Each structure stands twice: as structure tokens, then as C-alpha cells.
Amino acid sequence: MGKSSNKKDDDVDAAQKPKLQAVLLADPFLTPQQGKSFKPLTLDGPKMLCPLNNMALIEHSLDFVATQGVEQVYVVCTQDEMEEYLQETKKLSHFAMELIVIKDTSLTNAGDALRELYKRNVVQSDPFLLLFGDCITNMDLGSDLYGAMKAHLERRSKDSASIMTIILKEKSPSSPSAVGMEPATDDLIVGMDSDTNRVLLYDNESNNKSVKMPCSFFKVHSTVEVRDDLMDTGVCICSPDVLGRFEDEFDYLHISRDFVHNSVAEEEEGLQTRIHALILPTNTYAARVLDEATYHCISRDLLRRWCYPVVPDNYHQPRTEADSSLYAKPQRRYKVISQVQQPPQLYNYREITHPSKVGRTSTITGPGMLGCGGSIAEGATVLASVVGNNVYVHDNATVQSSHLWDNVEVLANATIIESIVSQDCVIGEGAMVNKGCVLGKGVVIGKGVTVPEFTRITLKEDDEDDGFGDDGDWGDDDDDDEDDDQNKETDNAQSGNAGQGNDGSPQTDAAVVGKDGAGHVWVYTLDDDDESDDEDGYLVVTSTDKMKMQSIGYDPSLYWSKREEYQAETEDDGLSQDGGPTEDEQMDAHAFSMMTDDAFTFEDTPTATMASSSAPVVFGRQKGVDVVKEMKEICLEFEETSPMENLAIELNSYKFSQNAAYSDCTRASTLAMVDRLEITADMKDGKLVSSLKSRLAFWGPLLQKMSIGMDEEKSILYGLEQVAIQENSPVAAKLSTGLSFRFVLQTLHDEEVLSEEAILSWAAERKGEPEDSALGKLFQLKSIQDFLEWLEEDDDDEDSDDESESEAGHTDDDAEHSA
């Protein structure tokens, strides 16, 4: 009887316990300027319905929510197309999850959406999940989040002001894709209590030269950690009181920029809203699709299976209305058709039910995927691209690192590089679409036309007078509509856009798409609040630069370098003439130290507060990071079928993020190249040289590009030495004996990767190396000494020839003068 009674009580408790709920924002609700990041694609429809690897963005988020045990999800949207799609999804979904759609066209920002939920009083579970529809993640509620949800409830039971846990992801080098997972202009700084992970600072303003934190925080929190290596995943664990906070503060428009930023900065104890952070494990993937660049990066990561189990061969066929059972086993949509197990892993995915036809002489390399109902014709080349449904790529056409959405046709001999081509587009015969381009729905590029880099073309007219950002996100109303009209006319004139025709439809810009094309250039413009100059204390970013930084194939390292220089600039800080603090500053510092019980002091010599590490401490670098090792991994994960420039961008971006040097890049690239050679102890020298020359077709230009001086070239030699003296290594067994190392040096010299000056400078350094050391033994090999002797003689001969020519010239001049 006792057991039966306990079981009955448990059933009653379970029945009374609210369902685990989630709130999914199906509009991005970005700032007006961020809202332009996905235009002109969003002129044709909601961003969340744009396909990512042939599946709508919102589907990825719904799949995540449904597999985490969420029983009821409220999806908030503002557009009819999204509501219709969700209602159809609700009918055909293979998940036993209650999906409730809330459409309200009056919602203009995330704050409005949460206030509307508060008024309806529909969110009852404590906690509930709050996320955006463009979030892509493989978080596991049972592992990553369960501990955080339990901790959230424990904090909440002790302190009613602890109402939110934001989920952050490290941008650490150990992450599978450290570069490109967030917009280039993001510069998030997070301050936390190291013991409790309570957030004390949240600042994502890249224009700021400094961040501010109340001094009173240091009295309460003895250890404060300030980090710049985190990014916001767009997922939060919340208590329903969060909705009430938004109801109280109508000024809060955005979740992170307004609510989190202002809440953590509140000093008065009774008014504080306490927010904590969960930092995901490094093997967990999470990112948001915020612009074309992050879209491309995340797509590539999914194809490489870095977000497993969120991979294309786990996508399911939509349920048909004929399915009688809600729990009928879902059918898979894609299968893996080819892969290379050795790094880099090249996966290709093919649609199962009605796969596209592939010509025998066509070339398809991964990572990529093919939709259904189309064809890849004879001689066509598709490299590392996502091809949608009913796409036809004709004879000898080339598609490289691009995204072709449904019903696209690429005619013979056309080329598309690092671009997004929306539905129903036609690329004319022999046309060229260069990197960074975005073509809206139905655009036609005429025969033989070359579209310049980073051009965005659409058939739609972008009416920005309504103040909307992306997907109906409202910005500030403009006071002077006439000025806006004049600015738009100026932009149209500069871009060659002829504006609207007599029937109200946009006219075609023949100068860009050709006489037989259709479409006009969409012009990216900065709002008044975003236009900045040095006089206002902000970093200058032009509209063109802003657009490029959001595009596929752009190298943001120049912007990052400029931003670092800008942020490093010091304003008038009141320092004395000799650079030391003034007497007043010394008194303030002493008072602050007294207030914090000497927990913080201000000394001339900084003291370390973190655990010691064997890696050298470098300003601007994450402590303990081996940048050469991490850059080598970036190289090994890169496909040699992709353009070398893309790898250069990734290495350059990582170099700036860790304050590394080009010499680190060349050394890491050399180590990766040697790994790709797969050298064995019994490999013949002839095969070694042949394999090296073959690899240098890709790696040679990269090494030349990054070798801006002799130091970078010598780093190539240091990398070769590193693998040649490594203990118990087949590579070392081969390179440290016989003629092998000499042949490698000579090949790199012949292929103009290493100059004579760099080799001889390296030799001069090694002459002082003890002969019994590993480096000394390698350097003293007879084959290497013979090569160096030959190189020196050749250099002397060239000098002699130059002197002879010079003397001959003088003789001729003297003779002419005498005559």
C-alpha cells in the first residue's frame, strides 16, 4: 500500500508540473544596421525560411528544441509567409511536440515580442528556453544544459533576482571553426565572477576604446575575469520574470544589447537583475547565422560534420498528409556518397528519393551536397558547394564554394565563385559571378557578363522609408522623408540603378546584368546613427566596407588591424609629463585599494592572477595557446580544392585574433604541408621530390604570399627542422639521413619558395650549433653541406658576373668619353 501511495503522489506531482516550454523568435529582431546583413535575400521572403544546406533555417532550430525534451514551443513571428510555413510544419512534423504560432505584425523588436508573451501569460515553465530561429547548435539538454538548468533553479530558490542564464561559446582555437563563426564587426567583452560565473559586464560595441565596470563590483567579487574570446549563441535559460522585466522597461528593444547589457551594469543592490553565464564545452557547436559570411561558415561546418548529430544525412523527409501515425518512422533525405577519411575529410551528400543526375565527365568534390531533380552536365565542375533542388548546371560550367538555392540554372561555361544564388536565378552562358556576390530571387545574368566582386543584385525595390530592418525590424523613424528620397536617388545614380519603371516595377540595370539580364544593384547604405567619424570618437567604417565584411570571401584582417590601432589610441588621460600617474590618481588608487581590502592594487609591475602556463604570455593572446599548432590544424582541415586565398584569409584572421606573426603562419603551413606528404622511412627520394612539387602547386603560392621578409622564410626552415629531428617519427627517419633534407631544400629553392639569402642566413645561425645536438647533426649532414657550398659558390659567381658587367659598363663609358 505504501508503494502504491507513493507512486500515486508522484503521478499527481508530474501532472501538476508545467510542461517544459521554449520561446523561439522566428524573426531576427536585429538592429536596423544588422538587419541589412541578409539583404537583398530578405526582400524576397523571411530570413528564417532561407535554406541552410537545403533546409530552412527555422527547421534547424525546431529540430534542436524538439530533441531536447521541450513539450511546448511558442514561435513568435510577424509575417504571413512564416505563419503559413509553421502551420504546415505543425501538420506534417515528425516530432511529438506542441507547436503554437503567435503572429503579430505590430511587433518591431525582441522586446515587443517578450512583452506580448507576458501579456498573454502563456509561459509558465520555470525555467524555459529562449532562442532565436537562426541558432545552429548540437547542445544536449542532458549534458550541456541540464547542469545549468539545475544550477539556475538553485540560484533562483536562494535569490529571486537570478532570472537568466546566457549561454556562451568559446572562440578558442580548439573550436572546430574558430574563424568566421561570428560577424567580423563583433567585439564582445564579457566580465564574470570567476567563482560563480555571474555576469558583471556585457559590451559588444566594437567602436568603444574601453569598457567600464563599477568599482563597487570589486568589493563584492574578489576575482573578476574579463574575456574577449566568447560569443553569444542566442540561447538563454530564463525564468518567466524575464518577461516581466521587459514589460517594466519599454526602452528595452534587444535582449543582449539592452536587457543584458543594462541589467549587469546596475550597481544598486536592491535593483539588480542577476544574470549568469554557461560556457559551453569546446566539443559543443553553437553559432548564429547573422550574415552571409557566418552563413557560409556554418554551412561548411555542418557539411564537415562538426555539429554532429546535426548533419545532412540526419535530415528527414517532410511528413505527408497520407501518414496516419504521428509516430511513423521518419525517412531520411540525404545520404553520404563519398568521403575522404584522411584530413581534410571531404563529405558529399546526395538526395535519396529523386537524386540529381551527374554526368560521367563532371567533377564534384566536397564538402558539398546535391538536392533532387536537377543535373550536373558533362564537363561541369562543382567544388565545395551546396546545390539545391531542381538545379541545372550545364556543360563545362564551374561552381566553386557557393550556394545555389532551388530552381537555379547555370548555363554552359558560366562560373560562380563564393556567392549565394537565390531561387529561380539564371546565369547566362559564359557569364562570371565573382566572389562575395548575392543574387536575389529570379535574377538573370546575361550571356558573357562579368559581375564584379561583392555585388548584390535583386528584382525587388527596397523601400527603406518604412524604417524596417531585416524581416520587419523597425529602426528609428527618419524625420525628413525628402532627404531620404534624395539620398536614394543619389545611391541609385552611383550604382547605375535606374530606379522604378512606369508600372512601378524596378528597371533592369543592363550595365551590370547585361542587355539580356534582369535585376538591379542593391545599394548598402549606413543609417545616420551608424555613420561615424574620428571627430565623434568612433571608428570610420564605410557602407562598402560594412557590406564586404558581411560577405563570403572577404578578408576582415585589415579592419581588425585598424580597429586594434583605434582601440589602442589613448585620449587625454591626465597622466603627468613623465608618463606616471598624477598625485590625485595615486590617492584615488590608494583609496580604491583600501575599499577592496587590498584585493586590488595598482603597481608599476603587473602581477599574474591566473595559473601559470608553459606557453609564453603574449599581449593580446589567449594564455596557454600554441598558435603554430592551432594554425597547423586550420591548414589540415582546409581542402586543397578550395582557393588558396580562403586559407590565407583564415590564417590571417586567426593571426590577428591571437596577436601572432606571419612567421607563425609560414611555420604552421610548412608543418601541415609535410603532414600531407605522408612521408615514410622507406620512401624513395624521387617520389619525395615529386610529391613535394605536386603539393607546392597549392602551398607554394601560400608560403610566398605570407613570406613578407626573411624571417618568414627562415620559419619555413625551422618547421622543416622540427619534423626532421622529431624522435620516433618516420618523417624524421627519412629527412635526417641521406640526401632527403637536401632535396627538400633544393626543391623549395628551385620553386622560389626559399631565397638564397634566407637559406644562407639560416646556415650562418646553425654553424654555431653543437655538433652533438639534434640540430647540429642534421645541419652537419654531408649532403646539406654540399648544397650550401654549391649555393655559396653560385652566389659568388653571380656577384662576380655583376662586377664584370659593371666594370665593362665603366670601360664602355670611358671609351665613349675619350672618343
Side-chain angles (χ1 to χ4, degrees), residues 447-631:
K447 180 178 180 180
V449 171
T450 297
V451 181
E453 294 181 351
F454 306 109
T455 302
R456 300 189 181 189
I457 303 176
T458 181
L459 290 179
K460 297 292 183 70
E461 186 69 18
D462 185 8
D463 184 9
E464 294 194 42
D465 290 339
D466 59 5
F468 277 86
D470 199 0
D471 288 3
D473 180 29
W474 283 1
D476 296 330
D477 293 334
D478 294 320
D479 296 330
D480 193 345
D481 292 340
E482 293 182 2
D483 289 344
D484 288 348
D485 292 338
Q486 291 175 359
N487 290 337
K488 185 178 292 186
E489 290 174 4
T490 302
D491 291 335
N492 289 339
Q494 290 174 348
S495 67
N497 180 7
Q500 292 186 338
N502 294 330
D503 60 353
S505 62
Q507 292 184 352
T508 291
D509 186 355
V512 176
V513 301
K515 294 181 180 179
D516 53 344
H520 63 276
V521 174
W522 177 80
V523 180
Y524 189 107
T525 57
L526 290 173
D527 295 336
D528 292 339
D529 291 342
D530 294 284
E531 292 178 348
S532 52
D533 51 48
D534 289 328
E535 293 180 1
D536 295 333
Y538 289 100
L539 177 64
V540 176
V541 180
T542 67
S543 59
T544 301
D545 289 339
K546 190 88 170 180
M547 181 185 70
K548 288 182 177 179
M549 283 189 286
Q550 296 170 348
S551 303
I552 304 173
Y554 182 71
D555 183 358
S557 56
L558 181 61
Y559 166 77
W560 289 342
S561 177
K562 185 178 179 181
R563 186 174 71 187
E564 285 182 2
E565 293 175 3
Y566 167 81
Q567 292 175 338
E569 291 176 1
T570 56
E571 300 176 356
D572 183 10
D573 54 7
L575 294 180
S576 58
Q577 291 288 334
D578 61 357
T582 62
E583 184 177 350
D584 289 342
E585 289 173 329
Q586 290 176 343
M587 293 177 64
D588 290 342
H590 177 69
F592 179 70
S593 297
M594 293 288 289
M595 184 187 76
T596 58
D597 297 327
D598 293 325
F600 296 86
T601 58
F602 297 86
E603 304 291 345
D604 292 337
T605 304
T607 57
T609 59
M610 297 178 63
S612 61
S613 171
S614 58
V617 178
V618 179
F619 179 77
R621 179 179 302 174
Q622 186 179 349
K623 192 167 185 178
V625 169
D626 185 340
V627 293
V628 173
K629 179 181 178 182
E630 300 301 340
M631 284 195 280

Side-chain angles (χ1 to χ4, degrees), residues 242-506:
V242 169
L243 307 180
R245 294 290 194 275
F246 275 88
E247 177 68 16
D248 295 338
E249 298 287 347
F250 272 84
D251 291 340
Y252 288 168
L253 307 181
H254 307 284
I255 296 173
S256 58
R257 288 168 60 96
D258 294 334
F259 176 69
V260 176
H261 173 78
N262 291 325
S263 295
V264 301
E266 177 59 54
E267 291 187 66
E268 191 168 340
E269 191 69 21
L271 300 178
Q272 290 179 344
T273 296
R274 293 180 178 82
I275 297 175
H276 292 76
L278 165 67
I279 301 176
L280 293 175
T282 54
N283 61 349
T284 299
Y285 190 94
R288 287 187 65 190
V289 178
L290 293 173
D291 55 27
E292 287 81 359
T294 54
Y295 172 89
H296 178 67
C297 174
I298 293 170
S299 166
R300 180 186 57 189
D301 291 349
L302 297 185
L303 295 175
R304 290 172 171 174
R305 309 178 77 81
W306 287 344
C307 192
Y308 188 86
V310 184
V311 291
D313 48 310
N314 281 339
Y315 293 172
H316 297 101
Q317 295 281 5
R319 183 181 299 278
T320 65
E321 295 184 3
D323 292 332
S324 57
S325 172
L326 180 64
Y327 298 96
K329 185 177 180 180
Q331 301 297 314
R332 297 183 183 275
R333 291 174 58 186
Y334 294 91
K335 64 178 179 179
V336 181
I337 60 173
S338 66
Q339 65 186 61
V340 178
Q341 291 296 343
Q342 298 298 326
Q345 294 177 327
L346 305 179
Y347 295 93
N348 267 313
Y349 303 87
R350 184 80 59 82
E351 217 273 346
I352 296 175
T353 309
H354 304 288
S356 296
K357 299 177 181 179
V358 178
R360 291 185 177 181
T361 60
S362 63
T363 301
I364 301 178
T365 63
M369 62 190 302
L370 293 179
C372 65
S375 70
I376 309 298
E378 300 295 334
T381 301
V382 179
L383 306 177
S385 297
V386 176
V387 179
N389 301 320
N390 304 312
V391 172
Y392 293 86
V393 180
H394 291 249
D395 295 346
N396 302 313
T398 299
V399 180
Q400 181 175 313
S401 299
S402 296
H403 304 264
L404 308 187
W405 295 0
D406 294 350
N407 307 315
V408 170
E409 187 169 12
V410 185
L411 299 183
N413 300 305
T415 301
I416 303 173
I417 300 174
E418 295 182 292
S419 296
I420 298 177
V421 181
S422 188
Q423 295 98 332
D424 305 322
C425 288
V426 177
I427 311 301
E429 182 179 351
M432 164 75 81
V433 179
N434 280 295
K435 71 176 181 180
C437 290
V438 177
L439 307 185
K441 184 177 180 180
V443 166
V444 178
I445 304 300
K447 180 178 180 180
V449 171
T450 297
V451 181
E453 294 181 351
F454 306 109
T455 302
R456 300 189 181 189
I457 303 176
T458 181
L459 290 179
K460 297 292 183 70
E461 186 69 18
D462 185 8
D463 184 9
E464 294 194 42
D465 290 339
D466 59 5
F468 277 86
D470 199 0
D471 288 3
D473 180 29
W474 283 1
D476 296 330
D477 293 334
D478 294 320
D479 296 330
D480 193 345
D481 292 340
E482 293 182 2
D483 289 344
D484 288 348
D485 292 338
Q486 291 175 359
N487 290 337
K488 185 178 292 186
E489 290 174 4
T490 302
D491 291 335
N492 289 339
Q494 290 174 348
S495 67
N497 180 7
Q500 292 186 338
N502 294 330
D503 60 353
S505 62

Side-chain angles (χ1 to χ4, degrees), residues 72-100:
Q72 188 179 67
V73 56
Y74 286 91
V75 183
V76 184
C77 64
T78 62
Q79 294 173 288
D80 292 336
E81 298 130 296
M82 178 60 71
E83 182 185 31
E84 293 170 4
Y85 183 89
L86 291 170
Q87 295 295 358
E88 191 66 21
T89 298
K90 184 163 62 170
K91 285 189 224 173
L92 307 179
S93 173
H94 55 270
F95 294 114
M97 174 182 68
E98 185 180 4
L99 192 156
I100 302 172

